[in-house]
Amino acid sequence: MQVILLETKEKAVELTARVIAGQLQRKPNSVLGLATGRTMEAVYARLVRMHREEGLDFSLTVTFNLDEYVGLPPTHESSYRYYMNHHLFSKVNIDPRNTHLPDGMAADPESAGAAYDALIKDVGGIDLQLLSVGASGHIGFNEPLSAMFSRTRVKALTPKTVEQNSPLFRNPAEMPRLAITMGVGTILEADQCLMLVTGSSKARVLAKAVEGPVTSMISATALQLHSDCTVVVDENAGDLLEQKEYYRWIFENDPQWSAYQNL
Ligand code: GLP
């Protein structure tokens, strides 16, 4: 795992967007794993601008989202399908047929989960998986005690997650208590993981995720086991990290990041 600590949220978003853009330029038919939530809105806005102003091309891109609420149709304004259409898919030249989210309306969610994993495998696996972390330590909706080898399946959401996400519903009581999410094992199979975490409300959970022991109580710690995972954080989210100096040093000195110094 590499941690990149940047002064501002804007720089963290810019770096994240540039890594994604670089992936699409190197391999136009990349398979991207995508995330939702407030953190990602700025990343998608930046990618849309890159598409409009610099011609960033999504025509061959294939996407798989991490998760979806159970029981919300794609037309529901708080569904993740709606979020993705609104923030990214409708604003770039992606082929809608190449965009995938778990089916929250599936009559048989268990087989829908297995089918989702099979589809990811069929297209050759995810090249770059974008992630953030929830207040409960989840990646996707892998709530505490999600098995490290778990596959796409239905999970019950914790009260903490309900508290975090219900304000995003017009009627907060309407927020589903179940979601269908890629498993931790599914996520770890991506070639590369890129996690963006911003804001002081994430400082405690981020310190545990990055510097704490690997535990299924905080599924983000599983990323420590991944061989190519970068965590991009702003100063607010990184406030409780112990090795801040080291992370700053990595960004300034590792040649891998030399092209990103002018954020
Ligand atoms: C939801 C998603 C997660 C995401 C998290 C972060 O719970 N299921 O994949 O990481 O939100 O949310 P936010 O960016 O709003 O803090």
Side-chain angles (χ1 to χ4, degrees):
M1 179 180 274
Q2 290 195 69
V3 178
I4 301 299
L5 181 57
L6 298 167
E7 301 96 69
T8 62
K9 175 186 167 188
E10 287 68 30
K11 287 189 177 192
V13 167
E14 179 69 19
L15 177 72
T16 305
R18 283 207 215 167
V19 171
I20 299 167
Q23 171 70 36
L24 295 185
Q25 279 149 1
R26 262 193 321 280
K27 185 181 173 195
N29 61 344
S30 286
V31 181
L32 297 182
L34 298 179
T36 50
R38 301 171 184 90
T39 313
M40 291 303 152
E41 289 179 16
V43 174
Y44 296 139
R46 186 68 187 98
L47 289 174
V48 169
R49 247 182 64 216
M50 286 174 172
H51 168 69
R52 289 183 181 155
E53 293 169 10
E54 299 158 36
L56 181 64
D57 183 20
F58 290 81
S59 62
L60 299 175
T61 308
V62 177
T63 66
F64 286 88
N65 264 80
L66 285 166
D67 44 19
E68 179 59 282
Y69 291 109
V70 167
L72 292 195
T75 48
H76 192 290
E77 62 185 10
S78 298
S79 73
Y80 284 164
R81 166 56 82 175
Y82 190 97
Y83 171 107
M84 289 309 304
N85 288 344
H86 177 71
H87 289 287
L88 185 67
F89 299 155
S90 66
K91 295 180 173 149
V92 297
N93 64 333
I94 198 163
D95 183 339
R97 290 169 303 181
N98 287 338
T99 67
H100 308 275
L101 281 91
D103 182 3
M105 298 297 285
D108 178 359
E110 204 175 308
S111 52
Y116 200 67
D117 282 340
L119 197 57
I120 294 173
K121 209 171 176 188
D122 278 356
V123 300
I126 289 171
D127 293 301
L128 176 63
Q129 175 68 56
L130 189 58
L131 299 153
S132 191
V133 65
S136 71
H138 66 213
I139 45 176
F141 270 132
N142 289 286
E143 298 289 41
L145 289 179
S146 289
M148 295 285 173
F149 296 124
S150 51
R151 315 298 307 171
T152 302
R153 71 216 182 289
V154 173
K155 279 300 281 183
L157 303 175
T158 60
K160 211 173 200 171
T161 297
V162 174
E163 187 188 315
Q164 180 196 299
N165 287 4
S166 58
L168 300 173
F169 284 71
R170 196 185 293 261
N171 170 8
E174 230 186 71
M175 180 180 155
R177 279 11 184 198
L178 298 176
I180 177 162
T181 179
M182 272 189 209
V184 179
T186 314
I187 294 168
L188 291 180
E189 281 166 12
D191 278 357
Q192 195 187 341
C193 288
L194 179 63
M195 181 155 91
L196 171 65
V197 187
T198 57
S200 49
S201 67
K202 298 286 175 68
R204 278 170 76 91
V205 76
L206 177 79
K208 288 186 188 169
V210 167
E211 294 179 335
V214 174
T215 167
S216 61
M217 287 304 289
I218 299 171
S219 62
T221 62
L223 296 170
Q224 295 176 29
L225 304 172
H226 194 280
S227 57
D228 188 355
C229 176
T230 302
V231 181
V232 183
V233 302
D234 67 358
E235 286 285 347
N236 287 335
D239 195 37
L240 299 177
L241 293 171
E242 278 179 20
Q243 301 285 333
K244 285 187 213 175
E245 283 315 310
Y246 174 51
Y247 307 141
R248 289 195 191 99
W249 189 92
I250 291 179
F251 183 63
E252 281 157 22
N253 293 281
D254 186 327
Q256 185 190 344
W257 301 107
S258 59
Y260 297 90
Q261 296 301 317
N262 63 334
L263 291 169

